[in-house]
Amino acid sequence: MGGRRRADIVFTRWRVAVFVDGCFWHGCPLHATHPKRNSDYWLPKLQRNIDRDRETDEQLRSSGWIVVRCWEHEAPVEVAKRIEHLIRRLRT
Ligand SMILES: [Zn+2]
């Protein structure tokens, strides 16, 4: 966890890459906590994850992919709905 760059779900045909980001590792606005203990270690590390996410998004987008990011706290059924809508739109 934390260091991965690969999408969690890939729809090659539609060039859609889905990432399910862990709340802690990827700085979820609702659940990210800022560890007080060893914060000199954690804060830069977590910031690097977030920077890397943005970089990954940019790389994918510039090669024609659509990037969908969801949080691990989101209900899988909601996430699935969102992806379904998106793919339906791409098909038309
Ligand atoms: Zn969260």
Side-chain angles (χ1 to χ4, degrees):
M1 262 295 246
R4 88 197 136 74
R5 259 174 188 274
R6 263 214 217 125
D8 295 296
I9 311 164
V10 175
F11 298 89
T12 318
R13 191 165 168 206
W14 310 109
R15 293 174 84 76
V16 173
V18 180
F19 292 85
V20 181
D21 291 339
C23 294
F24 175 74
W25 291 104
H26 298 269
C28 159
L30 299 179
H31 306 107
T33 49
H34 296 293
K36 290 200 180 69
R37 208 185 277 240
N38 297 324
S39 63
D40 287 352
Y41 168 77
W42 282 110
L43 296 185
K45 187 179 167 69
L46 295 173
Q47 189 55 52
R48 271 199 304 278
N49 282 343
I50 294 165
D51 293 346
R52 194 166 43 205
D53 290 342
R54 297 293 82 84
E55 211 182 281
T56 304
D57 292 354
E58 274 164 37
Q59 279 172 8
L60 282 165
R61 285 183 180 129
S62 67
S63 38
W65 285 77
I66 293 167
V67 180
V68 178
R69 282 198 181 262
C70 352
W71 294 107
E72 69 176 348
H73 70 253
E74 290 185 81
V77 65
E78 293 302 320
V79 172
K81 250 188 244 166
R82 214 198 301 169
I83 297 165
E84 200 191 307
H85 274 295
L86 174 71
I87 289 178
R88 204 176 288 160
R89 234 175 33 224
L90 293 173
R91 268 153 60 177
T92 52

